[in-house]
Amino acid sequence: MKSSTKKRHRAFIHLLLTVFVIGGLIGVGVFAQQPKQIKEEHGAKTNQKEQEEEAVTPFSQPENDLEKRVTELIKSMTLEEKIGQLTVVGFQSKEVDNHIKTMLQNYHVGGVILYDRNMESPKQVAQLTNDLQDLALEQNQKIPLMVSIDQEGGKIVRMKEHVSPIPSQQELARKGSLEAIYETAAHSGAELKAMGIHVNYAPVLDLSASDSRSFGTDPKKAQAFGKQAIKGLTDAGITATLKHFPGHGRSNVDPHFESSSVDANQLDLENNDIYPFKAIINEIDHNQFFVMVTHIKYPAYDKENPASLSPIIIQDLLREKLGYEGIVVTDDLEMGAVTEGFTYKELGYHAVEAGADLLLVCHTLENQKEVINGIVQAVRAGKLSEDRIDESVKRMLTYKLSTITSPHVDVEHAEEVVGNNGR
């Protein structure tokens, strides 16, 4: 009887141990499986998040190796896409039209210039620049558009009824206040920035006693005033432009309509007209401004070509002698000063050959097509090397990747910011 009881007791204990062991093994399996499942779920969420972040990461987001990114991008671009990036065009309407669609979708242009014909209100301009950016970012390379304007002050003010008052450079110079020049440029720049504009083709450094666009005839004052204008625009997030190199204040002829030349020797020009450009190039980071080259001739340097088509003036004088490493932009190639002696196909090719990085073609669709096609044909025919094209494309893409950090703007913010000074 006692032996039988002991046997039953041992069997019961054995059963309990078996249950515990099996239960433990099942538990271990479940708990071992949980970390794996959690890890897989976390990995899936992480990958999804990374994909979402990658999808919204803008082309222009700064990277550690900017030069490498630019080099890779250039390698992936067609010749036509590269040449398009060197072109700034104008169009005729206040909204995206077939003209600008053609230039962006078929000719891959890298920039636009806005005029009063494109501008009705701050909100409308902001919406327009957003729409233009959408169109540009739909293209293969997803390169943002560079939006530019002439907002000098005085008689050259776009959308004058809506922006804050901008005195002429002549008026600002008469007052002689460096602070007023800085504040005017900074406030105007903030308004441009709010509307999605990146580049202002100002200040004017031409020396003139009569032209309201000029700071006057004193080269040192022009340099000091110009420097403050650049600082104000830079602090507002806008790229300035020194114009019209090498200084056409001595000419009384309007280059919009006909050609002219400045008959002064090199020493005289470099001590006066060129001095403001030279001093600013020596003192300010070249990434903060472009240099616009005029269509006027300077026989002291080049007897044959206007400055905008002269390798002597762009390469030898501006690049080599003055040491400028930034972006060189031509004045509008539809001006009479250059169309008198060249076809539009010749103009584009000769400007790039001379060393220009950006070509302005501000009005007519057919002329814009001709300029771009002329450059393409020159490269295909071996008259212009693709390496020369790549040199300018590198400057433009480096500028865009490091400057246009957010292509779109808040249209309501533009309405709030623009025109709130002095009204």
Side-chain angles (χ1 to χ4, degrees):
M1 183 74 178
K2 188 183 285 187
S3 174
S4 175
T5 301
K6 286 181 178 179
K7 285 180 180 179
R8 286 196 300 271
H9 182 68
R10 283 197 299 269
F12 178 72
I13 292 173
H14 180 72
L15 178 63
L16 285 175
L17 289 173
T18 302
V19 169
F20 280 127
V21 169
I22 293 172
L25 289 173
I26 293 172
V28 169
V30 170
F31 284 109
Q33 184 69 18
Q34 282 183 342
K36 181 180 179 182
Q37 183 178 355
I38 292 170
K39 186 175 180 181
E40 287 176 350
E41 290 175 355
H42 175 72
K45 289 179 181 178
T46 301
N47 289 338
Q48 182 181 1
K49 184 178 179 182
E50 287 175 352
Q51 289 172 0
E52 289 173 353
E53 288 178 350
E54 184 178 351
V56 300
T57 299
F59 164 89
S60 52
Q61 186 165 332
E63 294 186 5
N64 293 330
D65 194 348
L66 181 60
E67 185 173 356
K68 181 180 178 182
R69 176 76 189 277
V70 169
T71 300
E72 290 174 350
L73 189 57
I74 291 173
K75 286 181 181 177
S76 71
M77 295 171 74
T78 66
L79 175 62
E80 288 78 6
E81 287 172 334
K82 293 176 185 178
I83 292 170
Q85 284 299 308
L86 309 185
T87 314
V88 175
V89 302
F91 59 106
Q92 304 300 319
S93 68
K94 292 179 173 63
E95 58 187 18
V96 173
D97 60 11
N98 288 333
H99 177 165
I100 194 60
K101 278 185 179 179
T102 297
M103 294 316 298
L104 287 168
Q105 293 175 337
N106 300 341
Y107 289 84
H108 319 289
V109 296
V112 297
I113 179 170
L114 300 182
Y115 289 89
D116 276 327
R117 66 194 183 215
N118 309 115
M119 308 174 78
E120 184 175 73
S121 70
K123 188 173 182 178
Q124 171 267 327
V125 175
Q127 186 60 59
L128 174 61
T129 60
N130 282 348
D131 292 343
L132 290 169
Q133 293 292 359
D134 287 341
L135 200 56
L137 294 171
E138 287 173 3
Q139 308 312 305
N140 288 337
Q141 302 298 343
K142 304 188 184 308
I143 302 172
L145 200 62
M146 185 196 80
V147 184
S148 60
I149 196 169
D150 286 301
Q151 195 76 320
E152 299 175 10
K155 63 183 181 182
I156 311 295
V157 176
R158 311 304 182 199
M159 207 169 61
K160 186 175 289 188
E161 298 79 12
H162 293 274
V163 300
S164 299
I166 311 172
S168 69
Q169 291 191 179
Q170 185 182 63
E171 185 180 344
L172 288 168
R174 283 174 182 162
K175 293 179 180 177
S177 169
L178 295 175
E179 183 180 2
I181 291 171
Y182 169 84
E183 289 178 352
T184 298
H187 191 86
S188 176
E191 294 188 346
L192 297 178
K193 183 77 172 178
M195 293 186 288
I197 295 166
H198 312 109
V199 177
N200 187 14
Y201 299 122
V204 175
L205 297 186
D206 301 329
L207 304 181
S208 174
S210 58
D211 189 351
S212 64
R213 301 170 71 194
S214 169
F215 283 126
T217 57
D218 186 328
K220 291 186 178 180
K221 285 185 178 180
Q223 176 268 333
F225 295 154
K227 185 176 179 180
Q228 288 303 305
I230 294 166
K231 189 175 188 304
L233 289 170
T234 301
D235 287 351
I238 296 293
T239 301
T241 306
L242 310 185
K243 66 183 189 184
H244 307 80
F245 186 82
H248 69 204
R250 298 182 192 233
S251 173
N252 294 319
V253 176
D254 187 342
H256 286 84
F257 303 106
E258 57 183 306
S259 62
S260 65
S261 64
V262 171
D263 296 319
N265 62 50
Q266 291 187 15
L267 183 62
D268 187 10
L269 287 167
E270 291 177 26
N271 286 336
N272 292 284
D273 306 65
I274 295 173
Y275 176 86
F277 296 93
K278 179 181 179 181
I280 288 174
I281 287 169
N282 286 338
E283 294 173 6
I284 297 181
D285 182 352
H286 299 176
N287 294 319
Q288 295 180 9
F289 61 90
F290 297 170
V291 172
M292 179 181 286
V293 184
T294 182
H295 295 319
I296 291 175
K297 290 182 180 179
Y298 296 80
Y301 292 99
D302 189 335
K303 292 182 173 60
E304 301 298 326
N305 300 299
S308 55
L309 307 181
S310 171
I312 297 170
I313 289 176
I314 296 178
Q315 299 282 12
D316 298 349
L317 176 59
L318 180 58
R319 293 275 190 217
E320 297 299 326
K321 191 167 187 176
L322 301 190
Y324 179 62
E325 297 178 350
I327 289 170
V328 175
V329 55
T330 70
D331 211 339
D332 181 14
L333 292 178
E334 292 192 81
M335 289 184 180
V338 285
T339 57
E340 283 182 349
F342 300 89
T343 67
Y344 284 105
K345 283 189 176 181
E346 292 171 334
L347 281 174
Y349 149 51
H350 284 303
V352 175
E353 183 184 40
D357 302 304
L358 264 185
L359 314 181
L360 294 188
V361 196
C362 299
H363 305 286
T364 311
L365 176 61
E366 290 307 315
N367 296 340
Q368 292 161 3
K369 291 179 180 180
E370 287 288 287
V371 167
I372 293 173
N373 289 335
I375 302 170
V376 172
Q377 290 171 15
V379 175
R380 301 280 190 220
K383 295 191 292 184
L384 185 65
S385 74
E386 194 163 352
D387 286 344
R388 170 66 198 93
I389 301 295
D390 289 351
E391 178 188 335
S392 289
V393 175
K394 181 178 180 180
R395 289 193 185 100
M396 288 312 306
L397 294 182
T398 300
Y399 168 78
K400 287 186 172 183
L401 263 68
S402 60
T403 305
I404 307 176
T405 54
S406 181
H408 296 89
V409 294
D410 182 340
V411 295
E412 299 299 335
H413 178 68
E415 196 73 20
E416 293 169 2
V417 168
V418 179
N420 287 332
N421 182 38
R423 294 192 183 279

